[in-house]
Amino acid sequence: MTGEQARGCARSIRVGAVSEQIERSLVLVKPDGYRRGLSGEVLRRIEAKGYTLVALAVTTPTAEQLATHYAEHEGKPFYEPLVEFMSSGPVTAAVIEGHGCIPGFRALAGATDPTAALPGTIRGDLGRDWGLKVQQNIVHGSDSPESAAREIGIWFPELS
């Protein structure tokens, strides 16, 4: 293999590896975060992390959206309180994009329980201890590429 061929091969591997890591994720600033005026701070942290905002909307979720979004949890004890909470007011919905943005945003968000979330995370810095109301934890982020694709289709059908 010549030097030129080796450089071309490395370039294509590097480009291939990078393009495979570009992801999209749905992020929701939940009604508690929206009510407290934290949407801008959450979006600032997302952009400071280096992710791109692809789509952004402020909306009050419909019963149909929430039933579809949380379908896997239907019948679980926390399902009804979660749907009730998520329909209690506006949310800021965003599609973000970047290298490894799904695990990256989840790390940025912190542990689900704001009391257990580490300082420096969204929930650790901005979350409140609501006792058993763990769903009131400021943000939601997709947990896998498959979930992201499904969730983006629910909240931003024009992008699916």
Side-chain angles (χ1 to χ4, degrees):
M1 182 181 301
T2 68
E4 185 61 34
Q5 289 171 320
R7 280 190 297 278
C9 204
R11 191 170 34 250
S12 67
I13 290 170
R14 187 170 45 248
V15 169
V18 168
S19 66
E20 288 176 7
Q21 294 176 358
I22 296 273
E23 298 175 322
R24 283 189 171 178
S25 181
L26 177 76
V27 171
L28 299 175
V29 179
K30 295 180 176 183
D32 58 327
Y34 183 87
R35 271 193 288 277
R36 291 178 52 211
L38 298 175
S39 296
E41 176 61 16
V42 170
L43 297 173
R44 184 197 67 75
R45 290 179 184 220
I46 288 168
E47 290 184 313
K49 184 82 172 168
Y51 302 134
T52 302
L53 296 174
V54 175
L56 186 62
V58 174
T59 184
T60 300
T62 66
E64 180 181 276
Q65 274 179 311
L66 294 171
T68 305
H69 184 94
Y70 292 115
E72 70 220 40
H73 300 302
E74 191 172 5
K76 295 178 181 172
F78 61 85
Y79 176 79
E80 289 298 328
L82 177 59
V83 170
E84 183 179 327
F85 163 65
M86 288 298 293
S87 63
S88 69
V91 301
T92 301
V95 176
I96 65 170
E97 183 177 80
H99 298 286
C101 73
I102 293 171
F105 177 76
R106 291 178 69 79
L108 186 64
T112 304
D113 181 349
T115 303
L118 295 173
T121 65
I122 292 168
R123 293 174 179 142
D125 292 349
L126 307 173
R128 291 184 172 165
D129 182 0
W130 296 107
L132 298 176
K133 297 180 181 178
V134 175
Q135 70 266 25
Q136 294 186 28
N137 59 8
I138 302 175
V139 292
H140 161 83
S142 303
D143 64 4
S144 69
E146 296 77 22
S147 290
R150 184 180 67 76
E151 293 172 356
I152 290 168
I154 295 166
W155 296 88
F156 295 93
E158 67 277 11
L159 295 179
S160 47

